[in-house]
Each structure stands twice: as C-alpha cells, then as structure tokens.
Amino acid sequence: MLTRKPRPNRTRRDFLRSSFVAGGALLVGFDKLPTLAAKIQARTDAFDGGKHLGNLDFAGESRAPLDTLLGSELDARLYSDLSTLTPEEPIPPIERFYVRTGASHLLDSEKGWQIRMGGLVDKTVTLSLEDLRKGARPAGLHLMECSGNTRATRFGMISVADWSGAPISDLLELCKSKPQATRVVVSGFDTYSASSATSRPGADWVFTVEQLKTSKAFLVTEMNGQPLNKDHGAPVRLVVPGWYGCASIKWVNAITLVDENFLATSQMQEFAARTHQQGTPKLARDYRPAIIDQAAMPIRVEKWLVDGRIKYHVVGILWGGSRLVKALEIRFNPEENYVRVDHFSQTENDPWSLWSQAWTPTTVGTYLIRLRVADPLVETKRLDSGYYVRSVEVTEI
Ligand SMILES: Nc1nc2c(c(=O)[nH]1)N[C@H]1C(S)=C(S)[C@@H](COP(=O)(O)O)O[C@H]1N2
Ligand SMILES: [Mo]
C-alpha cells in the first residue's frame, strides 16, 4: 500500500504566505494567483443578504470519495472535489490535484535519475536532474485534464497547478538531431508490481518537434513551488499545456528522436477514442494532437434562501480551447431554451475561468444542466456531444 502523510489543506493565503517567506524562487504563485482570482469573478449580487442552505448533489454520478487517494500503482486514482473552487481560491492545493496512476512500487528515484536523449541524433546526451534544474523557469498556471474524465470519475480528473520546469524544446537543442528526425517520443518509467484490470502499462507519447514547441511543453521541476511528488511523476514529468493528461508522461526517463514512420505507442492506442481519434491509427503521424477542446460544466449548485424564497446559484468552470469565448449559454432542461450565462468573462483559455448563473426553477424534478458556446469558430466537439451534462434533483422551489 502507498502511504501518504496527511497534510493540512493549504489555503491560497497560506500559499501566498509561504511563497513570500521562501523568497524569490517561489514568487510565480504570488504574482499569478491574485490576478487570476480577480479575473475569474463569478459572483452575482442577487444573493446578497441571503442564506446559503447547502449544495445539491449531482445525480447519477459515481459515489467514489473525493480528494482521497484510492488504490495504488496503475489503479491509483484521486478525484478532485471541484465544488469548493471560488474566485478567491481558484487553485486546489497539491494534495487535491487529481491522480491518474500512482507511482510504481518498483520506481527507484533516489539514486541519480537520468534522461537518455537519443535516437536519430549525432550524439546521445544524458540529462541529470541537475541539468534540468539549470534550465528550469516558471511556467505559470496550467490545467490538466484526464481524457477519461467522466461521470464515473465525478468529473474530478481535472486540476490546475502553478508549474516550473525546463522547456523541452530547449533540451532538444542539446543533441544534434538528424534531418529526418521530425518526431519525439517521450517515455516514462512504467513497470508495476501489480497488473491492472483497467489500464495498460507503457507510457510513451509521440509528438512532432513543432507540437512540443508551440504548446510550450516542459519537464517539471516544481509544482506550486514545491518539489514534484512521486504520484505526480517525480523525479520528473512532462506537462503539455492544452493537451489531455495522457500526453503528460510521468517518471520521464527517455526522449527519443524518430522519423515520420514511427508507430503509435500502446499509450496512444489505449487513449485513441478518448482523445477523439478516428479509429486506432497504426502510425503516430495519423493521430490528431490530443488537445482539449473548449468545454464547460457546472461544479456546484448552491441552494439559497433569499427574502423568504428558495433560489439556486449555479457555479461552473470553462476550460480548454484556444480562442476566447464571448458568450456562454446554459440550458436546464432539454425542453427549455438556452439562455446566456450572466456572470461570465474569459480572459485566458488556460487554466480555467469560473462562471455563475442565478436559477429559479419553476417546478420540482430532475434537471439536466448543459452548456453551449455560441460561437461557430470555437470547436466544442466533446461539449456538444453532451459529455459534460450534469444532473440535479430539485425538491424545493
Ligand atoms: N508514466 C506514466 N505517465 C503518465 C500516465 C501513466 O500511466 N504512466 N498516465 C497519464 C494520464 S492518463 C494522465 S491523465 C496524467 C495524470 O497525471 P496526474 O496523476 O499527475 O494528475 O498522467 C499521464 N502520465
Ligand atoms: Mo488520463
């Protein structure tokens, strides 16, 4: 069994304080978080003076506990409780960042970890953690979402952290690659003591050199100003901003330059459907980038008593995509029309934006809350398929 020391929940204020105390090295968090909080305002005045009676449960979702590490190795999961996000505390502490696959019991990260850079190169280079640290710099706030983030995982496989790391494009320049080396395989340690019922071992993803550059992918040295922990990929992991988590390889030990004919890895095949590929292509080059399209969902439905009347306040997040969304629309029932979300403004696609909407249902019953982006230029394939619909039971109006 993996043992985890219980750590106290850190509030944003604690985080700011400790960043401050630790001095210059951690100041990313300090200057980023307040601006983010200011940007993602999601309040509505309609509830001023009212009493918050509690939140409705989302119906038809798994009952798995949230913010708790379940299982170990390939079957380890931690589903993050998103319902507690507020404009003041928009970033969960590391303890609550989702986990998909825990560190292997066979992982030995104590002695000098190395990353072999080889393949179609003139000279193989071996990187140490020290080399990485030298190239590390603040990378900012980035969201990660598992492509298998579903109702069964209570949509809790999505989180945000403030990262530091070395851009992988810089590292690639250390080895002279051959002209035909257009793609890069990033591989992680993926041998486990136990076999899994649901996941296949093997963690390698193939990118084009260009994709790693434009996404600003980096090898992580720190998460929220702290050393990366084992379950999140220590001693070193990749983060590919804007891509599904399956491409963000943990326990990275090899970077290999390959050509256009390289085969898709078992990890790419395992996640083909979840990253919206057409079938399961054999060649890596036939995969579309595993980017997260624009998406949105409710994270809590608050029940209020205002001036003697029951009112609801729906709070949600919007994430993914690469264009700013001007208008977000919400529908509470398939029979109703979409209406424009009142409290919403997006200034960045990554990490996420909070939105909120006052809601006064006219009858009791089951509601299916669904979001839509009213902009034909914004790709919303997954959102439009009904993937992020969440349901609540209203028993009092
Ligand atoms: N080596 C390795 N890296 C991996 C995985 C894995 O199973 N093995 N899982 C991937 C998947 S599916 C996701 S969603 C992210 C999860 O990262 P996290 O557990 O730090 O949230 O790691 C990715 N990196
Ligand atoms: Mo994932």
Side-chain angles (χ1 to χ4, degrees):
M1 267 299 287
L2 275 183
T3 52
R4 291 193 123 209
K5 265 199 228 109
R7 272 167 287 187
N9 271 358
R10 284 157 52 95
T11 63
R12 185 179 69 96
R13 213 165 289 111
D14 289 336
F15 178 57
L16 297 184
R17 201 180 300 125
S18 65
S19 306
F20 212 39
V21 170
L26 300 181
L27 283 177
V28 228
F30 179 73
D31 54 20
K32 284 263 165 52
L33 292 187
T35 24
L36 184 77
K39 275 182 198 151
I40 54 182
Q41 281 309 329
R43 271 246 61 84
T44 123
D45 301 332
F47 298 86
D48 278 355
K51 188 170 178 241
H52 182 197
L53 302 175
N55 297 341
L56 301 188
D57 284 335
F58 289 112
E61 297 185 6
S62 123
R63 301 267 93 208
L66 299 172
D67 291 347
T68 309
L69 187 67
L70 313 164
S72 69
E73 296 196 313
L74 270 178
D75 290 325
R77 297 288 186 272
L78 182 144
Y79 307 132
S80 192
D81 183 359
L82 298 173
S83 73
T84 57
L85 294 179
T86 61
E88 293 73 34
E89 309 227 339
I91 311 296
I94 290 174
E95 300 64 37
R96 295 176 35 211
F97 192 103
Y98 85 87
V99 174
R100 196 283 185 193
T101 310
S104 166
H105 298 329
L106 309 176
L107 179 77
D108 183 2
S109 54
E110 303 307 316
K111 54 172 194 263
W113 187 267
Q114 290 185 327
I115 303 175
R116 277 170 291 105
M117 292 178 71
L120 298 171
V121 295
D122 284 341
K123 200 174 126 259
T124 302
V125 175
T126 305
L127 287 175
S128 67
L129 293 179
E130 199 39 50
D131 297 329
L132 274 189
R133 273 182 216 115
K134 276 190 215 132
R137 58 179 99 127
L141 296 166
H142 295 290
L143 170 139
M144 189 151 41
E145 183 187 18
C146 181
S147 56
N149 187 25
T150 61
R151 198 161 282 110
T153 71
R154 305 183 68 181
F155 294 108
M157 299 237 269
I158 179 168
S159 302
V160 170
D162 189 6
W163 309 90
S164 293
I168 194 163
S169 297
D170 293 358
L171 301 171
L172 291 176
E173 281 172 17
L174 299 175
C175 55
K176 258 194 106 220
S177 57
K178 297 193 192 299
Q180 70 271 34
T182 52
R183 290 178 188 259
V184 183
V185 191
V186 179
S187 308
F189 182 86
D190 221 54
T191 311
Y192 300 89
S193 63
S195 63
S196 161
T198 53
S199 301
R200 285 188 243 164
D204 319 80
W205 204 274
V206 187
F207 303 90
T208 64
V209 173
E210 195 52 34
Q211 286 165 347
L212 291 173
K213 199 176 194 159
T214 52
S215 65
K216 299 196 172 75
F218 53 94
L219 290 175
V220 174
T221 50
E222 285 184 359
M223 190 174 175
N224 290 359
Q226 297 172 33
L228 192 65
N229 73 33
K230 267 192 164 186
D231 285 340
H232 291 303
V236 55
R237 81 170 306 161
L238 180 69
V239 164
V240 190
W243 289 48
Y244 284 115
C246 42
S248 288
I249 299 300
K250 302 197 264 194
W251 314 294
V252 171
N253 55 14
I255 296 173
T256 314
L257 282 126
V258 298
D259 66 17
E260 283 301 283
N261 299 319
F262 201 79
L263 293 176
T265 63
S266 64
Q267 170 105 341
M268 291 168 79
Q269 292 178 12
E270 178 181 356
F271 287 93
R274 283 172 263 177
T275 57
H276 308 286
Q277 308 300 330
Q278 294 213 307
T280 310
K282 283 221 157 49
L283 294 175
R285 66 167 190 244
D286 294 329
Y287 281 68
R288 66 184 286 269
I291 49 173
I292 309 175
D293 273 351
Q294 187 68 69
M297 69 176 168
I299 56 170
R300 70 174 170 275
V301 178
E302 302 169 356
K303 184 177 177 182
W304 285 74
L305 185 65
V306 187
D307 296 332
R309 291 207 51 197
I310 297 289
K311 273 191 173 184
Y312 294 87
H313 182 224
V314 184
V315 180
I317 53 172
L318 175 93
W319 73 98
S322 54
R323 304 176 65 100
L324 294 183
V325 170
K326 284 184 205 79
L328 179 67
E329 296 182 338
I330 191 165
R331 189 181 76 182
F332 291 95
N333 213 323
E335 286 83 56
E336 287 176 25
N337 292 323
Y338 279 94
V339 296
R340 202 166 163 144
V341 171
D342 290 333
H343 294 262
F344 160 70
S345 86
Q346 186 192 27
T347 53
E348 275 171 322
N349 286 86
D350 188 19
W352 53 31
S353 314
L354 285 179
W355 53 264
S356 78
Q357 175 78 5
W359 178 39
T360 317
T362 49
T363 57
V364 297
T366 304
Y367 287 84
L368 294 168
I369 309 177
R370 182 166 176 156
L371 280 298
R372 178 171 89 173
V373 172
D375 183 344
L377 294 176
V378 176
E379 281 251 26
T380 45
K381 223 179 303 126
R382 191 182 258 210
L383 180 67
D384 293 344
S385 73
Y387 192 97
Y388 293 106
V389 171
R390 303 188 85 174
S391 170
V392 287
E393 193 76 44
V394 171
T395 55
E396 202 181 355
I397 53 168

